[in-house]
Amino acid sequence: MNPVLQTRTVCVGDSVYIGSGHPIVVQTMCNTHTSDIEATVAQCRRLAAAGSQLIRITVPAMADVQHLAEIRRRLREEGIQTPLVADIHFSSEIAMAVVPVVEKIRINPGNFHPDHEKARALFGQFLGLCKQYNRAIRIGLNHGSLGKYIVEKYGNSPQAMALAAMEWVEMCIDAQFYNVVVSLKASNTVVMVNAYRELARLMQEKGVVFPLHVGVTEAGNGDSGRIKSCVAISTLLSEGIGNTIRVSLTEDPANELPVAQYLAHRYSGAAAPSLSAREETILKAACDWGAPLLNHEVDDIPLEDEYLKDEILQACRRKFYKPEYIACPGCGRTLYNLEETFNRVKAATGEFKNVVIAVMGCIVNGPGEMADADYGYVGEGFGKVTLYRKKEPVLRHIPEDEAVDRLVELIKTDQAK
Ligand code: SF4
């Protein structure tokens, strides 16, 4: 194992410390609607009891700031002290409104405004407010939603992701605001690992290293989602990169926690989760073979279980024995039963090889987050779906009960050309 990347320590609330001097912090995110206060409080209660050390909640609209305040109030009233993280997309107004309400705020400052200079100015204001309230932030950039300015300036590579993040990191340093965690997630494990490595190198060069939140975004579900997350996250953790982790699964968010706890235990001695023998075998094999495969130190792995071997090879992008699936974990923006739909899409498309199929919960972020998908199934709301070919919407307003069949037809027609 490599030496641990030495980072600053970020304090979230008054009890959770993220940084190289502390065990890896495990977190997850609610997939309830934030406006449904009862359901969100109930889910937070379960997630806290299952060991989530931070809980993220989406704040899609200004009205949800009050919902979040009420959720937090009820949790504290029950004695649940787990710090909450507000997940903000696009709106600097909501980001600033939520600062007094929760312990940590996740933003992508590049999306604060289409004009980059205005986005910088708004981020400066946001930092001033976070300083005033002593909040922590996460600068979270995802591959596939880097924004026009970044792609035009740096391209769309792991290096571009790291350079884009460094602009915001440098603004934090200039503002002497150090309660900062950074993430550069991607669903492609090679892109994800290289982006974090590059960011770690750039921050070391700068002389200020913020802790890293590590995760594979849109990893999917079942064994594939677990294996994809483990190969990439374990590769970084084995290099001493990563201080807090989220294993994103298109399932009940409580299911993410044992996987994250397994990783935190393996790489930082945190308490071990209770796993079935099969789960342990899968996670261990993914962690054992992730780095050698992603680093091209080996081309094959000596596993007798052909299914597990194929899954690990595909997660490391060394063999594509089935379609590559991307599915968001769902959140308060999700517009249909994501888990069930994703399973139906997988069952209907398993025959297609060499295609990347994305299933995304909302039209606001889904299309941007699909990264390099060949086809996308994106919820519009009101029982309707838009189907995408690459980044282009090709069939809009399809009733949900027809959408899987129409997706299959679309792929078949394209493949027959
Ligand atoms: S793409 Fe999925 S996880 Fe991302 S905001 Fe939309 S519903 Fe939530």
Side-chain angles (χ1 to χ4, degrees):
M1 197 175 292
N2 293 349
V4 169
L5 177 73
Q6 295 302 309
T7 72
R8 297 185 66 91
T9 294
V10 165
C11 183
V12 189
D14 43 15
S15 56
V16 175
Y17 294 89
I18 305 175
S20 53
H22 303 273
I24 292 163
V25 170
V26 164
Q27 57 174 296
T28 183
M29 180 169 179
C30 285
N31 63 2
T32 48
H33 289 276
T34 309
S35 55
D36 188 343
I37 292 171
E38 295 299 332
T40 307
V41 168
Q43 192 169 71
C44 287
R45 202 182 287 132
R46 279 200 303 122
L47 296 174
S52 190
Q53 294 168 276
L54 295 174
I55 300 175
R56 187 155 46 112
I57 298 174
T58 191
V59 191
M62 195 54 101
D64 291 312
V65 175
Q66 286 316 311
H67 299 141
L68 186 58
E70 178 60 13
I71 290 162
R72 186 177 180 280
R73 190 193 67 73
R74 292 203 200 177
L75 290 169
R76 299 296 177 264
E77 197 174 75
E78 289 184 25
I80 298 169
Q81 301 298 340
T82 312
L84 300 182
V85 185
D87 194 64
I88 311 294
H89 286 276
F90 301 107
S91 170
S92 60
E93 288 85 2
I94 299 177
M96 293 197 224
V98 90
V99 169
V101 176
V102 284
E103 290 83 356
K104 187 175 173 208
I105 303 101
R106 180 263 164 157
I107 35 94
N108 175 356
N111 289 340
F112 272 179
H113 200 283
D115 178 321
H116 192 67
E117 283 312 311
K118 288 188 179 143
R120 283 178 61 92
L122 289 164
F123 184 55
Q125 278 178 39
F126 171 74
L127 291 182
L129 213 53
C130 291
K131 214 171 180 178
Q132 186 188 331
Y133 283 88
N134 193 27
R135 297 311 193 205
I137 68 167
R138 168 159 67 98
I139 299 170
L141 274 62
N142 284 0
H143 186 232
S145 62
L146 285 180
K148 196 163 166 266
Y149 170 85
I150 300 298
V151 174
E152 280 172 4
K153 187 163 182 201
Y154 302 115
N156 199 11
S157 60
Q159 290 71 22
M161 291 169 73
L163 282 169
M166 279 308 288
E167 179 174 351
W168 309 113
V169 162
E170 283 169 12
M171 275 189 74
C172 294
I173 297 169
D174 291 346
Q176 298 184 309
F177 181 78
Y178 298 108
N179 232 9
V180 180
V181 177
V182 191
S183 68
L184 292 181
K185 298 188 187 180
S187 62
N188 177 321
T189 50
V190 174
V191 170
M192 178 275 206
V193 165
N194 288 332
Y196 278 101
R197 283 175 174 157
E198 180 65 4
L199 178 61
R201 189 186 71 73
L202 290 172
M203 287 197 293
Q204 277 181 305
E205 221 170 71
K206 183 78 192 167
V208 178
V209 182
F210 290 128
L212 291 167
H213 165 128
V214 170
V216 176
T217 190
E218 288 109 29
N221 65 356
D223 294 341
S224 308
R226 286 161 175 77
I227 291 170
K228 211 190 240 190
S229 291
C230 281
V231 297
I233 297 174
S234 69
T235 297
L236 291 170
L237 295 180
S238 69
E239 294 171 20
I241 296 175
N243 312 97
T244 176
I245 54 178
R246 182 196 177 192
V247 171
S248 256
L249 295 176
T250 310
E251 296 180 23
D252 181 336
N255 296 354
E256 298 176 356
L257 294 167
V259 187
Q261 285 158 344
Y262 175 85
L263 288 160
H265 170 68
R266 179 168 166 138
Y267 294 99
S268 73
S274 143
L275 298 171
S276 69
R278 180 171 180 275
E279 281 170 324
E280 180 123 27
T281 302
I282 289 173
L283 303 187
K284 182 178 183 308
C287 292
D288 287 348
W289 293 107
L293 284 165
L294 284 168
N295 293 336
H296 286 254
E297 290 157 12
V298 298
D299 294 320
D300 201 359
I301 51 178
L303 290 181
E304 281 173 16
D305 181 335
E306 284 295 325
Y307 159 76
L308 182 54
K309 182 171 159 170
D310 281 347
E311 284 287 328
I312 294 174
L313 287 168
Q314 177 139 351
C316 295
R317 305 183 72 79
R318 302 296 299 277
K319 173 182 178 181
F320 292 92
Y321 86 102
K322 64 175 189 183
E324 181 67 4
Y325 293 105
I326 296 173
C328 78
C331 71
R333 289 184 187 270
T334 308
L335 298 171
Y336 57 91
N337 186 330
L338 192 58
E339 189 177 350
E340 185 199 301
T341 305
F342 182 43
N343 286 332
R344 282 200 292 121
V345 168
K346 287 208 296 190
T349 57
E351 66 186 278
F352 302 115
K353 301 278 183 311
N354 297 319
V355 288
V356 182
I357 300 171
V359 178
M360 309 299 281
C362 75
I363 204 97
V364 181
N365 296 317
E369 298 273 344
M370 290 191 300
D372 47 7
D374 298 309
Y375 298 95
Y377 178 116
V378 180
E380 284 177 24
F382 306 107
K384 297 287 166 61
V385 170
T386 295
L387 298 179
Y388 284 72
R389 184 190 289 115
K390 299 284 185 190
K391 295 271 182 198
E392 292 301 316
V394 287
L395 293 167
R396 294 181 200 265
H397 317 315
I398 308 292
E400 239 181 87
D401 54 3
E402 293 174 23
V404 175
D405 291 342
R406 301 290 293 275
L407 174 68
V408 171
E409 272 169 36
L410 179 67
I411 302 174
K412 276 191 177 156
T413 310
D414 283 356
Q415 293 201 339
K417 282 179 188 164

